[in-house]
Amino acid sequence: MDDEVLESEEQAGDLNRAMLSFMKHHGNLRSEPDAVMSAYFRQCAISLNASALADAAAFLARTRLAGGKADRERALRMRKLLALMMTCGHYDGSGDFALRVGLPAKSGVGGGILAVMPEVASIAVWSPNLDQHGNSILGVRALEMLVHRTGWSVFGPPGARDT
């Protein structure tokens, strides 16, 4: 647990608290907002290196629908999660990240980014300098370069005009 990140998240959580109160008011939250916030802050403050993060998320890359009913249901849940990562994983920079990188990914306040190429790999990068949206500047660039070299974008390899 990174105590500095935990303290920072707890001090800057007003918007998250407001959203949770709004959700509670409309019956979309079963737990108490303070309990949810505490769990969220602790999750934000988990300290891992890039290798451990990639290993911890390797299960996200398994999205095949073949197999029994339980396997298909698990794969469908993974696809839903990856869709959320693709559309929301980089805050207000999610659209730009999807265009530039083309991988489902989630950034963290500490500068880490976890990305997934379905059925191929889970990838983690880290660099602490963040852009205006709270995403790692060098992490995004590293993933962009990786995708360019490997063609791993879910949208297909970059075309000649993308270089």
Side-chain angles (χ1 to χ4, degrees):
M1 191 69 63
D2 186 321
D3 292 330
E4 188 175 317
V5 171
L6 179 60
E7 183 178 332
S8 172
E9 285 296 301
E10 288 173 340
Q11 291 176 0
D14 292 341
L15 182 58
N16 288 332
R17 282 185 191 89
M19 288 189 295
L20 284 171
S21 292
F22 184 79
M23 291 168 62
K24 179 83 173 175
H25 175 78
H26 289 282
N28 295 317
L29 185 67
R30 294 186 186 124
S31 300
E32 288 302 314
D34 287 340
V36 174
M37 289 297 294
S38 178
Y40 172 73
F41 293 150
R42 291 189 191 304
Q43 289 174 359
C44 287
I46 293 172
S47 183
L48 297 172
N49 64 24
S51 178
L53 179 58
D55 287 344
F59 75 96
L60 292 170
R62 295 191 292 270
T63 58
R64 299 239 167 150
L65 295 175
K69 183 179 179 182
D71 288 338
R72 288 191 303 275
E73 288 174 4
R74 185 202 54 78
L76 184 58
R77 286 193 303 272
M78 291 304 105
R79 287 178 172 212
K80 287 178 180 179
L81 180 56
L82 293 176
L84 284 171
M85 290 170 65
M86 181 66 105
T87 58
C88 308
H90 280 77
Y91 314 106
D92 288 343
S94 295
D96 183 60
F97 183 87
L99 177 66
R100 289 175 57 191
V101 177
L103 294 176
K106 176 65 182 103
S107 66
V109 296
I113 301 174
L114 168 67
V116 176
M117 178 59 191
E119 294 304 319
V120 177
S122 59
I123 307 129
V125 296
W126 176 83
S127 181
N129 294 329
L130 307 180
D131 65 15
Q132 70 273 20
H133 302 297
N135 302 307
S136 170
I137 295 167
L138 292 178
V140 171
R141 182 66 183 131
L143 289 168
E144 189 176 24
M145 291 169 62
L146 174 73
V147 165
H148 182 74
R149 290 183 182 158
T150 62
W152 281 357
S153 169
V154 297
F155 303 119
R161 290 204 249 188
D162 295 337
T163 58

